[in-house]
Amino acid sequence: MKEVSVRETVYNRPFIWQRADPYILRCEDGGCYFTASVPEYDRIILRYADTLTGLRDAEEKTVWVKHESGPQSIHIWAPELHRIDGCWYIYYAGGDVDDIWEIRPYVLRCAGDPMRDPWEELGPMLPADDDPFSFRAFSLDATVFSHRGDWYMVWAEKVGVGRQISNLYIARMASPTKLATVQVLLTTPDYDWERGEFWVNEGPALLRHDGKLFLTFSANTTGELYCMGMLWCDEDAELLDPANWTKLRHPVFRSDDEKEVHGPGHNSFVKAEDGVTDLCVYHARQYDKMVGNPLYDPNRHVYIMPVTFDQNGFPEFRHLPQEW
Amino acid sequence: MKEVSVRETVYNRPFIWQRADPYILRCEDGGCYFTASVPEYDRIILRYADTLTGLRDAEEKTVWVKHESGPQSIHIWAPELHRIDGCWYIYYAGGDVDDIWEIRPYVLRCAGDPMRDPWEELGPMLPADDDPFSFRAFSLDATVFSHRGDWYMVWAEKVGVGRQISNLYIARMASPTKLATVQVLLTTPDYDWERGEFWVNEGPALLRHDGKLFLTFSANTTGELYCMGMLWCDEDAELLDPANWTKLRHPVFRSDDEKEVHGPGHNSFVKAEDGVTDLCVYHARQYDKMVGNPLYDPNRHVYIMPVTFDQNGFPEFRHLPQEW
């Protein structure tokens, strides 16, 4: 671990250390799985515990290791675990050691116990037959969710010549490994807070509350400016019509110097033990001074906060003292 | 002129033959200038007449000819004439014979009489210093307008690797040849009617009415599917905030087989002789059967229709019998 000077506050004590892009899935029996990017970006790890807090000290198992060369051989990022039609799937992104930014989304499947049984490679996520645009450039952070009988994927993909811009897209899925529809643009970096050295929207996560679907995402360059933005859509609306999604003008969660919470983002959502309270699981750093590329600083840690809702039913993401 | 079989209707008699991307500017004294793309895409033409209808038979003058090689040597497209701070400017797009799709926007200036005095080349339109994205790829159809003391440019530019998508962007201008702000995305092809063989938004044109700014644009592949869409924004709103622009779910004007009006679009707006009625100037074809690439079929002709407004103050674009 790098030597860094950290000012500890009640707000920046990690739930899990040195894991980024955290994702927690709670099963119907209450048991919880955890996965995340590891600082080496070389493998996919899983933890399981009977309770969410049990994940802190749960044994971590490596369920998949990067290839030696070719696709999926470097930059293994942002795994998510999902259960679709009775099987387990992990969606993740990976690059190629010979072309390290050729990042694409890939899929693993496990028909048995995610912690003990083998994970089979299903290869790259495929666009719809008539979609010449999706997964053609740097694309990652795929998340999936079901809504009224259909599965949808939301992912980040870069566009442009020369320097590129990372947008978020949505499509309906034909199967766990293939899209049914062409891409629909959900959000592009529109505002100052999304546009630093890089213009980025990534890390989408879905939250349902009181008739609305909320889609949080992470914006800006990985580092101090990294923050969370949000879109929302009425649950009765057609999800593939971008006119039904409204983007909030300002970020919903960002760095706080006083509390020493830096570059928060790439979150996911999970219910608390009570089955009612929504928790936001995110990563952040405890300091803003980094040596070198923030992407290779290992000290993004995992935090959890309860989500509160305002009088309009919109989620609030507050800098709260950590319970751990 | 190509031999084509045309069924004449009262709806498809051209105002001006074989000119595409038509643009008319009316001066304070009522006199009108006309410019457009010519089928050879090799020059910029101007017409002047004391009345709008006089443009039909007005002498056409070539005010600028493409270069022999290098930038601006092929595909000279969609000129527009504007008066900014006491000078005349023509905004147009051009490619390079050695790289014919390297289309970029360029600017000409004339300090005297547009029909008689020389036009000076000011070179390519420049992005803001801190904008690494604008005018880097296939970009064209720049239009400019002033609003509350500032000048704005809206243009079309393609993004993507391999096959590309043409979007519309807006920025504030620092001068007639340079932007002051980084690009803001206004619209991307979201819907079926914008997505044919190519996914295209282009040809923006501004119309003001009753407290609103309307921005029409053309969508889809040049040919039968070409049509007009529209965005609108409150005139009091910040134009550089994309959240203030609303895109209509359906096209506002499209092909009509019965009337033999095909692929209408790339419009501009001008006031009628009464100074009140808004006219929509657009091009269309009289048939949908084309031999070869629609881009090189010369028979896009100019049409003019009066714009009506519905009870909400939104413009309506009706297939009306042509007056000429």
Side-chain angles (χ1 to χ4, degrees), chain A residues 130-133 136-137 159-161 163-165 182-185 188 190-191 195 199 241-243 247 249, chain B residues 130-133 136-137 159-161 163-165 182-185 188 190-191 195 199 240-243 247 249:
Chain A
D130 52 349
D131 181 350
F133 300 110
R136 309 292 166 156
V159 294
V161 299
R163 278 193 63 183
Q164 296 190 305
I165 298 171
V182 296
Q183 64 173 229
V184 170
L185 178 65
T188 190
D190 292 306
Y191 302 112
R195 298 172 162 188
W199 291 17
D241 183 347
K247 179 176 179 174
R249 176 64 183 87
Chain B
D130 53 349
D131 181 350
F133 301 109
R136 309 292 167 158
V159 294
V161 298
R163 278 195 64 183
Q164 297 190 305
I165 297 171
V182 295
Q183 63 172 231
V184 169
L185 178 65
T188 190
D190 293 307
Y191 303 112
R195 299 172 162 189
W199 291 17
L240 298 184
D241 183 347
K247 179 176 179 174
R249 176 64 182 87

Side-chain angles (χ1 to χ4, degrees), chain B residues 236-263:
Chain B
D236 294 326
E238 166 57 54
L239 304 190
L240 298 184
D241 183 347
N244 292 331
W245 291 90
T246 303
K247 179 176 179 174
L248 271 60
R249 176 64 182 87
H250 298 283
V252 292
F253 191 46
R254 64 197 313 176
S255 294
D256 187 319
D257 283 346
E258 188 75 21
K259 296 174 176 168
E260 297 285 11
V261 173
H262 301 281

Side-chain angles (χ1 to χ4, degrees), chain A residues 11-72:
Chain A
Y11 302 97
N12 74 0
R13 188 173 166 218
F15 174 65
I16 293 175
W17 292 76
Q18 293 202 328
R19 294 289 175 265
D21 313 324
Y23 178 87
I24 296 177
L25 177 72
R26 187 184 288 275
C27 304
E28 284 179 14
D29 65 3
C32 290
Y33 289 96
F34 169 83
T35 187
S37 301
V38 299
E40 301 80 11
Y41 302 147
D42 64 350
R43 64 193 189 274
I44 294 175
I45 57 91
L46 273 186
R47 298 184 185 195
Y48 176 82
D50 294 334
T51 63
L52 191 138
T53 48
L55 289 172
R56 279 203 78 177
D57 303 311
E59 188 187 0
E60 195 168 275
K61 189 181 170 192
T62 295
V63 298
W64 182 86
V65 175
K66 68 173 182 172
H67 294 198
E68 283 298 309
S69 61
Q72 312 183 55

